[in-house]
Amino acid sequence: MNEDDGIDVDDEELESKSDSEPEVLRLKEPLKNAVYNEDGLAEKLEDIAWPEDVDWKHKLTVDHEQAPDIDVEDDLAREMAFYTQALDGTRKAFAILQSAGLPFLRPPDYYAEMVKSDSHMLKVKGKLLVEKKKIEEAEERKKAREAKKIAKEVQAQKNKERAKRKKEDIESVKKWRKQRQQSGFAKGKDEDMGFNFDGNSFERSKKKRPGVSPGDRSGGFRKQGWKSKSGMENKKRERRESKFGHGGRKGMKKQNTAETTNDFRDFNKGDVKKQRRNGANRLL
Amino acid sequence: MGKKRKQTESQEVVKKDDTAPPRPKRTLLGWKDGGVAKKSDSAVFRNKEKVLVTCSRRIMSRYRHLMMDVVSLLPHCKKDSKVESKETKGATLNELVELRNCSSILFFECRKQKDLYLWMAKSPSGPSAKFLVNAVHTMEELKLTGNHLKGSRPILTFSANFDQEPHWKLLKEMIIQIFGTPKDHGKVKPFHDHVFVFSIVDRHIWFRNYQISVPHNETDKVDRGGLDKMTLVEVGPRFCLNPIKIFGGSFGGPTLYENPFYISPNLERAQMKKAKATKYVKKVKAKTRRKMHEIENPLEPDEFADLWKE
């Protein structure tokens, strides 16, 4: 128990000490016994002071009423206060000098030794230039970054539009199919109207298509040719064309010519039933 | 040619000022505290201040640069070789000042390769003040872009709180005499293109030096517009003086003032060290306390501890 007590006391002591230490550093209680001999100070001041009515030209001093609360820790505010003091003081001093008619500004053609050497000022200039360059470069980089962002957005927009168009195309084809289905796959006029192809819809555009392999120098056109798709379809097509013809007006084909009128190959006088069927076939 | 003529002009102006009373005979010690000697007829007041600038041995380069900056700013100063810091106390320095025919001294004392103290003393009869120098920036620093004529007389601006307390008043007078360049000094150039700022903020004297840049159109006469366009560019150096003590004599004598808020950097460092030390001690204490607590309040034996042990 005794030991415990001792430790506790020690703890308290330590804590109080450690608490008080930063207080001494920060609060800075004024020392009670600090010497402050006001009379002595005044006497000394009188001893060394220049005469009261000494000309201002000798002193060149200006007093400035400072803002009452300047935060020392705030560098900007503090420097600003000093700057305003200097500026204000200079204005006042120049006004006095001007009224006294004394020269105070260095004429532009007056060259003399300066406080800082030329080589040092060159260094200063170099540093300023480097800083300026740095800022410019940073700005350029920022701009490039933004441009990239915009380009990305534009690309996304384009892709979206492309996808939308594709969808629309597919939709329109579907619609057309539905229409066809509704009209019962009627041939002839309907068929023609269903395909609303323009005259040049089968012509190849000269533009290079997207998604073409880099080795393909034709720009993907060779692959697309419907004639080269497969030999079988090609032959069938040819045969059909030889039978039914390709293109041209249909009315001309349906008219009789001298040859057809004299052709009695399919005419069978005896079999009426067969004749009717054939006739029906031909009509349809 | 032009420069010479201007000087004569200004001298004429002075002569007009002092009109009737003839110049009194110079006393033996008259140059030292001329004002006192010629208090009766201040019209012929002549400022013949000379400042000795030295430093202690083993001064840090940064502080040495600061001293060189001060030397370049004060055309009326004399630079002396470094002084052994052991013999800084009093006599040697006073002797040195007298030897160099100076009336005041700025002594940069560096201790422990880190703390800079500045002694500002009027010789031979005092007073002297000792400052701790903080926040030193020299002219070498490239961010201070201003520049001004070497030897032009600075305009001294003081914040108004210099006139509030006697010790500030005394310090102000000393600063005026030491940092103000005498009007008719040989090396002085007849223009004013820089300003010194002495400002008391947070019980410290802050020093700044600015170049006055006025866009000129006409050389001497500046219309109000020109003055309005005036800007300041900082030249440097920067430093902050924390007054420690003011003595009656030069490097000695009775203490007239003691800064009640002053903490020596040694003490500050010691306290920081102490704070760090207590951190470890606290940790050890906490450990032992925990141990004691565990011993005092032992855990009850767990009755199910060996339930699954077979």
Side-chain angles (χ1 to χ4, degrees):
Chain A
M1 277 299 282
N2 283 336
E3 276 176 15
D4 288 354
D5 283 348
I7 283 167
D8 280 345
V9 168
D10 270 1
D11 279 352
E12 276 167 19
E13 255 179 31
L14 262 177
E15 273 159 21
S16 64
K17 233 186 198 174
S18 57
D19 282 348
S20 67
E21 268 158 18
E23 271 176 30
V24 169
L25 265 180
R26 289 189 193 125
L27 255 185
K28 291 180 181 175
E29 278 289 317
L31 291 172
K32 294 290 186 299
N33 56 353
V35 180
Y36 196 16
N37 184 357
E38 292 196 22
D39 298 333
L41 286 169
E43 209 173 283
K44 269 291 158 199
L45 178 61
E46 224 166 83
D47 273 0
I48 64 160
W50 287 341
E52 285 283 314
D53 52 347
V54 72
D55 201 17
W56 182 81
K57 285 193 300 262
H58 291 283
K59 287 168 106 177
L60 290 179
T61 57
V62 182
D63 285 350
H64 172 79
E65 197 62 50
Q66 209 174 35
D69 44 348
I70 297 166
D71 186 11
V72 199
E73 303 301 327
D74 186 357
D75 284 4
L76 256 177
R78 172 163 44 83
E79 295 305 319
M80 202 56 224
F82 297 153
Y83 183 87
T84 47
Q85 177 181 336
L87 197 65
D88 181 60
T90 314
R91 289 234 166 90
K92 278 184 199 164
F94 275 9
I96 297 171
L97 284 166
Q98 204 172 15
S99 63
L102 291 168
F104 54 89
L105 275 186
R106 180 165 73 109
D109 56 347
Y110 183 90
Y111 293 109
E113 194 188 355
M114 305 292 272
V115 166
K116 290 177 183 171
S117 65
D118 281 355
S119 61
H120 180 79
M121 288 317 282
L122 259 177
K123 264 192 224 166
V124 169
K125 200 177 161 191
K127 202 210 171 190
L128 284 181
L129 283 179
V130 164
E131 256 169 26
K132 200 179 157 196
K133 208 174 152 196
K134 245 188 213 166
I135 289 168
E136 270 170 10
E137 269 171 9
E139 228 156 64
E140 219 156 84
R141 250 178 281 138
K142 203 175 164 190
K143 248 185 214 165
R145 222 180 296 137
E146 239 145 59
K148 212 174 170 186
K149 222 185 253 172
I150 288 171
K152 213 173 171 184
E153 243 165 53
V154 166
Q155 193 61 35
Q157 191 71 26
K158 239 185 201 170
N159 277 345
K160 223 164 133 190
E161 219 158 79
R162 213 172 276 160
K164 198 180 154 199
R165 225 182 37 219
K166 197 176 169 187
K167 206 173 155 193
E168 264 173 15
D169 285 354
I170 289 169
E171 203 84 341
S172 72
V173 168
K174 263 187 194 165
K175 208 171 150 194
W176 169 78
R177 235 187 233 159
K178 223 181 193 177
Q179 265 182 10
R180 284 265 299 152
Q181 214 165 21
Q182 271 174 359
S183 60
F185 296 107
K187 276 178 189 169
K189 238 170 128 188
D190 272 353
E191 204 171 352
D192 261 356
M193 280 173 75
F195 284 113
N196 256 339
F197 291 134
D198 298 335
N200 59 355
S201 62
F202 285 115
E203 277 174 16
R204 296 165 183 179
S205 71
K206 291 277 158 61
K207 242 172 143 185
K208 190 163 172 163
R209 310 281 162 95
V212 171
S213 62
D216 194 350
R217 300 185 81 182
S218 72
F221 291 133
R222 198 188 293 158
K223 242 198 233 168
Q224 279 206 336
W226 57 274
K227 269 184 183 168
S228 64
K229 240 184 197 168
S230 67
M232 274 291 283
E233 268 181 29
N234 217 3
K235 262 179 197 163
K236 197 177 171 188
R237 183 81 251 158
E238 268 169 20
R239 221 178 56 225
R240 286 195 168 187
E241 267 175 20
S242 69
K243 195 176 176 186
F244 301 117
H246 173 68
R249 283 181 62 189
K250 286 212 161 82
M252 295 292 276
K253 278 176 200 159
K254 291 188 176 181
Q255 273 176 355
N256 271 343
T257 58
E259 265 176 37
T260 53
T261 39
N262 295 328
D263 188 10
F264 289 102
R265 265 188 307 180
D266 293 341
F267 188 69
N268 199 344
K269 215 174 154 185
D271 199 343
V272 181
K273 216 175 171 184
K274 202 178 179 182
Q275 194 190 358
R276 191 177 289 161
R277 200 170 62 211
N278 277 346
N281 259 348
R282 197 189 288 156
L283 275 174
L284 274 172
Chain B
M1 269 296 276
K3 183 186 156 196
K4 221 170 185 178
R5 226 191 71 218
K6 263 159 208 158
Q7 270 184 344
T8 52
E9 267 178 10
S10 59
Q11 273 167 6
E12 276 168 17
V13 172
V14 173
K15 268 171 196 167
K16 269 171 209 162
D17 280 343
D18 58 28
T19 51
R23 182 174 288 182
K25 271 176 196 167
R26 205 175 275 176
T27 53
L28 193 61
L29 293 173
W31 57 271
K32 269 170 190 167
D33 36 8
V36 183
K38 290 155 200 162
K39 215 169 185 179
S40 51
D41 39 4
S42 61
V44 274
F45 169 78
R46 284 191 77 183
N47 182 5
K48 297 196 106 189
E49 188 83 16
K50 272 182 208 155
V51 184
L52 185 73
V53 181
T54 55
C55 61
S56 64
R57 284 215 172 280
R58 290 180 223 99
I59 190 172
M60 257 173 74
S61 59
R62 189 184 180 77
Y63 297 150
R64 195 182 65 239
H65 291 161
L66 175 69
M67 188 191 71
M68 295 314 289
D69 290 348
V70 170
V71 167
S72 70
L73 289 180
L74 307 179
H76 58 292
C77 81
K78 290 185 174 179
K79 200 169 83 62
D80 208 315
S81 51
K82 291 174 183 171
V83 178
E84 194 65 49
S85 47
K86 267 177 195 166
E87 42 185 340
T88 54
K89 294 286 178 292
T92 335
L93 281 166
N94 281 332
E95 217 170 273
L96 206 64
V97 175
E98 196 139 334
L99 221 69
R100 299 297 302 266
N101 276 348
C102 291
S103 54
S104 51
I105 177 168
L106 285 176
F107 177 60
F108 292 84
E109 186 182 6
C110 185
R111 285 203 195 151
K112 294 195 170 180
Q113 291 281 311
K114 40 182 103 139
D115 308 320
L116 181 68
Y117 298 91
L118 174 65
W119 283 84
M120 213 184 262
K122 297 291 292 176
S123 180
S125 56
S128 54
K130 189 186 182 190
F131 303 92
L132 176 70
V133 186
N134 287 325
V136 172
H137 298 260
T138 64
M139 263 197 236
E140 302 282 298
E141 278 177 32
L142 295 180
K143 67 176 178 182
L144 307 171
T145 54
N147 198 359
H148 61 76
L149 284 175
K150 197 170 186 172
S152 63
R153 294 183 66 206
I155 293 162
L156 308 172
T157 64
F158 290 88
S159 62
N161 42 13
F162 264 103
D163 292 327
Q164 279 166 6
E165 285 174 75
H167 65 281
W168 291 127
K169 266 188 206 167
L170 182 66
L171 288 177
K172 182 183 177 184
E173 187 62 33
M174 285 171 76
I175 287 170
I176 289 174
Q177 295 189 10
I178 291 174
F179 283 90
T181 307
K183 192 173 156 296
D184 299 320
H185 191 271
K187 290 180 194 163
V188 155
K189 296 189 178 97
F191 309 111
H192 305 277
D193 63 350
H194 66 297
V195 201
F196 286 171
V197 173
F198 293 95
S199 186
I200 300 176
V201 180
D202 190 34
R203 293 186 293 272
H204 292 53
I205 301 173
W206 297 75
F207 173 85
R208 294 287 183 273
N209 177 21
Y210 293 97
Q211 173 202 354
I212 304 165
S213 71
V214 180
H216 9 195
N217 29 11
E218 221 175 317
T219 44
D220 281 347
K221 281 187 183 170
V222 175
D223 51 336
R224 301 306 303 179
L227 277 186
D228 285 342
K229 273 179 227 150
M230 178 170 68
T231 51
L232 304 178
V233 189
E234 184 158 6
V235 180
R238 293 175 172 186
F239 54 85
C240 167
L241 300 173
N242 185 10
I244 303 170
K245 271 185 182 179
I246 298 175
F247 300 102
S250 159
F251 293 104
T255 306
L256 301 180
Y257 167 78
E258 202 178 348
N259 187 355
F261 296 96
Y262 173 71
I263 298 176
S264 90
N266 290 331
L267 191 64
E268 214 165 310
R269 278 193 290 267
Q271 275 174 348
M272 263 157 80
K273 250 187 200 169
K274 225 181 199 173
K276 266 184 197 166
T278 50
K279 197 175 149 195
Y280 173 70
V281 170
K282 252 187 192 170
K283 220 155 66 182
V284 171
K285 252 315 115 102
K287 251 184 198 169
T288 51
R289 205 161 47 197
R290 174 77 192 154
K291 222 173 194 175
M292 296 306 288
H293 179 77
E294 274 172 2
I295 290 168
E296 263 178 40
N297 314 304
L299 278 174
E300 285 176 20
D302 192 359
E303 50 184 309
F304 302 115
D306 42 19
L307 186 63
W308 304 106
K309 250 188 218 168
E310 272 302 310

PDB file of all heavy atoms in Angstrom, chain A residues 180-192:
ATOM      1  N   ARG A 180     -44.599  -6.900 -93.578  1.00  0.00           N
ATOM      2  CA  ARG A 180     -44.690  -7.938 -94.599  1.00  0.00           C
ATOM      3  C   ARG A 180     -45.548  -9.075 -94.093  1.00  0.00           C
ATOM      4  O   ARG A 180     -46.399  -9.591 -94.814  1.00  0.00           O
ATOM      5  CB  ARG A 180     -43.284  -8.471 -94.907  1.00  0.00           C
ATOM      6  CG  ARG A 180     -42.492  -7.514 -95.752  1.00  0.00           C
ATOM      7  CD  ARG A 180     -42.591  -7.861 -97.221  1.00  0.00           C
ATOM      8  NE  ARG A 180     -42.079  -9.168 -97.526  1.00  0.00           N
ATOM      9  CZ  ARG A 180     -42.507  -9.894 -98.549  1.00  0.00           C
ATOM     10  NH1 ARG A 180     -43.435  -9.422 -99.338  1.00  0.00           N
ATOM     11  NH2 ARG A 180     -42.021 -11.097 -98.778  1.00  0.00           N
ATOM     12  N   GLN A 181     -45.304  -9.423 -92.830  1.00  0.00           N
ATOM     13  CA  GLN A 181     -46.047 -10.531 -92.260  1.00  0.00           C
ATOM     14  C   GLN A 181     -47.531 -10.204 -92.213  1.00  0.00           C
ATOM     15  O   GLN A 181     -48.380 -11.034 -92.539  1.00  0.00           O
ATOM     16  CB  GLN A 181     -45.540 -10.790 -90.844  1.00  0.00           C
ATOM     17  CG  GLN A 181     -45.573 -12.256 -90.482  1.00  0.00           C
ATOM     18  CD  GLN A 181     -44.738 -12.507 -89.245  1.00  0.00           C
ATOM     19  OE1 GLN A 181     -44.476 -11.603 -88.474  1.00  0.00           O
ATOM     20  NE2 GLN A 181     -44.313 -13.734 -89.063  1.00  0.00           N
ATOM     21  N   GLN A 182     -47.820  -8.969 -91.874  1.00  0.00           N
ATOM     22  CA  GLN A 182     -49.222  -8.565 -91.766  1.00  0.00           C
ATOM     23  C   GLN A 182     -49.908  -8.610 -93.118  1.00  0.00           C
ATOM     24  O   GLN A 182     -51.048  -8.993 -93.239  1.00  0.00           O
ATOM     25  CB  GLN A 182     -49.293  -7.154 -91.196  1.00  0.00           C
ATOM     26  CG  GLN A 182     -49.355  -7.183 -89.676  1.00  0.00           C
ATOM     27  CD  GLN A 182     -49.271  -5.793 -89.097  1.00  0.00           C
ATOM     28  OE1 GLN A 182     -49.142  -4.834 -89.832  1.00  0.00           O
ATOM     29  NE2 GLN A 182     -49.336  -5.717 -87.785  1.00  0.00           N
ATOM     30  N   SER A 183     -49.158  -8.239 -94.123  1.00  0.00           N
ATOM     31  CA  SER A 183     -49.774  -8.223 -95.446  1.00  0.00           C
ATOM     32  C   SER A 183     -49.710  -9.604 -96.090  1.00  0.00           C
ATOM     33  O   SER A 183     -49.930  -9.741 -97.294  1.00  0.00           O
ATOM     34  CB  SER A 183     -49.081  -7.182 -96.326  1.00  0.00           C
ATOM     35  OG  SER A 183     -47.717  -7.522 -96.450  1.00  0.00           O
ATOM     36  N   GLY A 184     -49.348 -10.607 -95.288  1.00  0.00           N
ATOM     37  CA  GLY A 184     -49.379 -11.992 -95.754  1.00  0.00           C
ATOM     38  C   GLY A 184     -48.375 -12.290 -96.832  1.00  0.00           C
ATOM     39  O   GLY A 184     -48.661 -13.042 -97.773  1.00  0.00           O
ATOM     40  N   PHE A 185     -47.269 -11.758 -96.799  1.00  0.00           N
ATOM     41  CA  PHE A 185     -46.177 -11.983 -97.750  1.00  0.00           C
ATOM     42  C   PHE A 185     -46.624 -11.802 -99.183  1.00  0.00           C
ATOM     43  O   PHE A 185     -46.301 -12.586-100.068  1.00  0.00           O
ATOM     44  CB  PHE A 185     -45.570 -13.387 -97.581  1.00  0.00           C
ATOM     45  CG  PHE A 185     -44.920 -13.577 -96.249  1.00  0.00           C
ATOM     46  CD1 PHE A 185     -45.507 -14.362 -95.279  1.00  0.00           C
ATOM     47  CD2 PHE A 185     -43.725 -12.944 -95.966  1.00  0.00           C
ATOM     48  CE1 PHE A 185     -44.917 -14.515 -94.047  1.00  0.00           C
ATOM     49  CE2 PHE A 185     -43.130 -13.120 -94.732  1.00  0.00           C
ATOM     50  CZ  PHE A 185     -43.720 -13.888 -93.763  1.00  0.00           C
ATOM     51  N   ALA A 186     -47.469 -10.786 -99.368  1.00  0.00           N
ATOM     52  CA  ALA A 186     -47.983 -10.565-100.731  1.00  0.00           C
ATOM     53  C   ALA A 186     -46.828 -10.232-101.651  1.00  0.00           C
ATOM     54  O   ALA A 186     -45.889  -9.535-101.273  1.00  0.00           O
ATOM     55  CB  ALA A 186     -48.973  -9.398-100.706  1.00  0.00           C
ATOM     56  N   LYS A 187     -46.910 -10.809-102.841  1.00  0.00           N
ATOM     57  CA  LYS A 187     -45.828 -10.575-103.787  1.00  0.00           C
ATOM     58  C   LYS A 187     -46.132  -9.367-104.638  1.00  0.00           C
ATOM     59  O   LYS A 187     -47.198  -8.765-104.559  1.00  0.00           O
ATOM     60  CB  LYS A 187     -45.663 -11.819-104.684  1.00  0.00           C
ATOM     61  CG  LYS A 187     -44.809 -12.873-104.020  1.00  0.00           C
ATOM     62  CD  LYS A 187     -44.700 -14.096-104.914  1.00  0.00           C
ATOM     63  CE  LYS A 187     -44.038 -15.220-104.141  1.00  0.00           C
ATOM     64  NZ  LYS A 187     -44.155 -16.482-104.900  1.00  0.00           N
ATOM     65  N   GLY A 188     -45.237  -9.067-105.525  1.00  0.00           N
ATOM     66  CA  GLY A 188     -45.473  -8.022-106.528  1.00  0.00           C
ATOM     67  C   GLY A 188     -45.335  -6.643-105.965  1.00  0.00           C
ATOM     68  O   GLY A 188     -44.282  -6.259-105.459  1.00  0.00           O
ATOM     69  N   LYS A 189     -46.476  -5.939-106.045  1.00  0.00           N
ATOM     70  CA  LYS A 189     -46.439  -4.526-105.692  1.00  0.00           C
ATOM     71  C   LYS A 189     -45.957  -4.288-104.262  1.00  0.00           C
ATOM     72  O   LYS A 189     -45.113  -3.446-103.996  1.00  0.00           O
ATOM     73  CB  LYS A 189     -47.848  -3.948-105.846  1.00  0.00           C
ATOM     74  CG  LYS A 189     -47.882  -2.795-106.821  1.00  0.00           C
ATOM     75  CD  LYS A 189     -49.329  -2.452-107.096  1.00  0.00           C
ATOM     76  CE  LYS A 189     -49.543  -0.999-106.889  1.00  0.00           C
ATOM     77  NZ  LYS A 189     -50.981  -0.665-106.952  1.00  0.00           N
ATOM     78  N   ASP A 190     -46.502  -5.117-103.355  1.00  0.00           N
ATOM     79  CA  ASP A 190     -46.146  -4.953-101.930  1.00  0.00           C
ATOM     80  C   ASP A 190     -44.668  -5.150-101.712  1.00  0.00           C
ATOM     81  O   ASP A 190     -44.024  -4.432-100.947  1.00  0.00           O
ATOM     82  CB  ASP A 190     -46.922  -5.972-101.080  1.00  0.00           C
ATOM     83  CG  ASP A 190     -48.256  -5.393-100.681  1.00  0.00           C
ATOM     84  OD1 ASP A 190     -48.441  -4.192-100.974  1.00  0.00           O
ATOM     85  OD2 ASP A 190     -49.083  -6.103-100.104  1.00  0.00           O
ATOM     86  N   GLU A 191     -44.180  -6.187-102.403  1.00  0.00           N
ATOM     87  CA  GLU A 191     -42.764  -6.499-102.238  1.00  0.00           C
ATOM     88  C   GLU A 191     -41.913  -5.306-102.636  1.00  0.00           C
ATOM     89  O   GLU A 191     -40.989  -4.917-101.944  1.00  0.00           O
ATOM     90  CB  GLU A 191     -42.409  -7.686-103.125  1.00  0.00           C
ATOM     91  CG  GLU A 191     -41.214  -8.425-102.621  1.00  0.00           C
ATOM     92  CD  GLU A 191     -41.022  -9.715-103.399  1.00  0.00           C
ATOM     93  OE1 GLU A 191     -41.905 -10.082-104.207  1.00  0.00           O
ATOM     94  OE2 GLU A 191     -39.979 -10.342-103.194  1.00  0.00           O
ATOM     95  N   ASP A 192     -42.296  -4.770-103.739  1.00  0.00           N
ATOM     96  CA  ASP A 192     -41.532  -3.618-104.229  1.00  0.00           C
ATOM     97  C   ASP A 192     -41.579  -2.461-103.250  1.00  0.00           C
ATOM     98  O   ASP A 192     -40.590  -1.795-102.991  1.00  0.00           O
ATOM     99  CB  ASP A 192     -42.123  -3.148-105.574  1.00  0.00           C
ATOM    100  CG  ASP A 192     -41.306  -3.705-106.713  1.00  0.00           C
ATOM    101  OD1 ASP A 192     -40.277  -4.361-106.395  1.00  0.00           O
ATOM    102  OD2 ASP A 192     -41.682  -3.486-107.857  1.00  0.00           O
TER     103      ASP A 192
END
